[in-house]
Amino acid sequence: MSDSRLLYLNESSRKFGGFERKDSKFTVVGLPMDITSSYRPGSRFAPAYIREATQYIEFFSLRSNVNVADIGFYDVGDVVMHPSSVEENLKRISEVISYYQSQDKITVSIGGEHTVTTGIIKGVMQYHRKNLCVLSFDAHLDLRDEYMGYKYDHACVMRRIAEMGVKVVEVATRAVGKDEIEYASREGIPFITAKEVRLLGHREVARKVSKTLEECSSIYISYDMDGIDPSFAPGVATPEPEGIDPTMVLDIMSLIVDKRIVGYDVVEVSPPYDPSGITVVLGSKLILETTAAVAKAKQQ
C-alpha cells in the first residue's frame, strides 16, 4: 500500500465470493458506516454479512450468460470509519474510491447507509467528472437540504450529489417530502415512481431512463435496498410498502447497463432486521448480476 489513500483500508477476514483475483477489473470495497440512520440502524454490519452470503450462492448468471467466477473480484476490505464524524468518513471513502478509479477499476461498494454514496461520487468525480450521471433505485428521493440539522445524511445524499453538478435519475420512488418534489421540479431531476414502474413495465422504464442518460459519459448505479418492496427485502433501514420486485430491478438494469458503467453500490441493508437473511442474499445477487451485465457490455 504505497499510496497514502489506502491507509484507511482494513483487510476483511472474508473475501467476496470466497476467492480473490487481484487482476480483476472489479474492486470490492466495504463501507460500514451507520451514523445518520434515522429509523432502523445496523447497516454497518452489511458488508460482512453480504460477504458471508457470497460464499454460498452461485456465480453463473443465466441473464447474461456470464460466469462471474471467471471474472472474479479484488476485495480490498473495509474503509475504517470514524465513530462519529460523517465528513471525515466521506473524505476517507472518497480517497479510497479515487485511488481505484485511478487504476481504471470498477468500484463495487457495499454499504453502509446511503450517505456513503456521497463520498463515493466525490472519489469517482476525480476521474470521471465530465457528464457523470447517477442512477438510483430508491423508495426515497433523498433530496432534502438537511435532515435533523445535518447536511450529510442518508435523506440528503442525492441532493448533495446533484449539487456537485452530477445528473441524478431516480427509479422506484414512493416516499417523498413536498420540498423534495419542489426541488426535483426546479432542478429538473427526473424520477419514476414505483407505481409508474408497474404500469409501464421494465422495457418502457428502461427506455425512458436510457433516453435520459444518453448524454452521460459515465454512469454510476446506486441500489438502495428499500427501493425493493419489503416483502422481498425486509431487512432495510427504512422500509416502505408498495415497492417494486427484484426481477423488475434486474430487468431494468440489464437493459440499461453498457460500457459507461464506472461503479455501483448496494446500501441500506440492516442485518439486525433481516432474521431470515433474504435481504443480504438479494444484495449479493444484485452485485453479481450487475457485475455480469457490466462485464458482458465491456467485452462487446
Side-chain angles (χ1 to χ4, degrees):
M1 290 190 180
S2 58
D3 195 295
S4 62
R5 289 174 289 182
L6 300 182
L7 294 176
Y8 299 118
L9 279 174
N10 184 28
E11 188 171 355
S12 172
S13 59
R14 281 282 199 183
K15 296 297 182 183
F16 192 92
F19 57 85
E20 180 175 78
R21 283 191 56 175
K22 291 189 175 181
D23 63 338
S24 174
K25 183 82 170 175
F26 298 86
T27 298
V28 173
V29 184
L31 305 174
M33 189 177 92
D34 191 21
I35 297 175
T36 74
S37 294
S38 56
Y39 182 22
R40 306 200 304 184
S43 57
R44 63 189 180 278
F45 302 116
Y49 275 75
I50 288 176
R51 284 189 178 99
E52 180 71 19
T54 63
Q55 316 296 308
Y56 307 105
I57 61 178
E58 297 292 349
F59 269 46
F60 189 90
S61 169
L62 289 170
R63 285 176 171 275
S64 301
N65 197 34
V66 170
N67 187 11
V68 180
D70 291 338
I71 300 164
F73 296 90
Y74 179 32
D75 189 338
V76 298
D78 293 343
V79 174
V80 178
M81 297 294 171
H82 190 283
S84 60
S85 175
V86 177
E87 289 85 352
E88 172 61 24
N89 288 337
L90 296 182
K91 172 179 172 291
R92 296 180 185 187
I93 293 168
S94 173
E95 292 193 10
V96 170
I97 295 297
S98 72
Y99 172 80
Y100 288 106
Q101 289 283 326
S102 74
Q103 303 299 305
D104 197 29
K105 299 293 187 180
I106 297 167
T107 49
V108 183
S109 302
I110 312 173
E113 58 179 284
H114 211 169
T115 313
V116 301
T117 306
T118 305
I120 295 169
I121 296 303
K122 285 183 178 180
V124 169
M125 285 188 72
Q126 293 189 38
Y127 298 93
H128 301 281
R129 178 174 295 275
K130 184 180 179 181
N131 296 331
L132 173 64
C133 297
V134 171
L135 169 61
S136 177
F137 291 88
D138 196 338
H140 310 85
L141 283 177
D142 292 343
L143 291 175
R144 296 180 186 274
D145 186 37
E146 58 87 21
Y147 188 72
M148 302 291 286
Y150 294 97
K151 288 279 191 178
Y152 290 102
D153 184 276
H154 70 151
C156 310
V157 56
M158 290 301 148
R159 176 100 170 221
R160 299 288 87 84
I161 290 172
E163 289 171 349
M164 296 180 209
V166 176
K167 186 170 189 174
V168 172
V169 182
E170 309 205 52
V171 175
T173 309
R174 59 193 185 277
V176 304
K178 183 173 180 289
D179 58 326
E180 293 179 287
I181 295 289
E182 291 171 348
Y183 179 82
S185 177
R186 186 168 66 249
E187 298 299 322
I189 297 175
F191 62 90
I192 302 175
T193 68
K195 180 180 179 180
E196 290 172 322
V197 172
R198 289 190 294 272
L199 289 173
L200 294 172
H202 72 276
R203 292 189 182 279
E204 179 61 16
V205 171
R207 187 195 67 78
K208 289 171 73 74
V209 172
S210 295
K211 182 71 175 176
T212 305
L213 298 176
E214 271 184 347
E215 296 182 2
C216 306
S217 300
S218 304
I219 300 171
Y220 185 91
I221 302 175
S222 183
Y223 296 109
D224 184 323
M225 289 296 286
D226 67 37
I228 296 170
D229 191 83
S231 61
F232 299 98
V236 297
T238 49
E240 284 286 343
E242 293 196 290
I244 61 177
D245 64 57
T247 301
M248 183 68 79
V249 173
L250 289 170
D251 285 346
I252 294 169
M253 176 278 295
S254 298
L255 292 173
I256 290 172
V257 160
D258 59 27
K259 296 178 181 180
R260 296 174 293 170
I261 303 296
V262 296
Y264 39 97
D265 64 50
V266 167
V267 296
E268 295 285 327
V269 174
S270 186
Y273 295 90
D274 190 38
S276 66
I278 62 172
T279 313
V280 165
V281 172
L282 179 55
S284 305
K285 186 71 171 178
L286 286 175
I287 291 172
L288 292 175
E289 291 293 347
T290 304
T291 301
V294 173
K296 184 175 181 178
K298 290 187 179 287
Q299 289 168 1
Q300 292 175 343

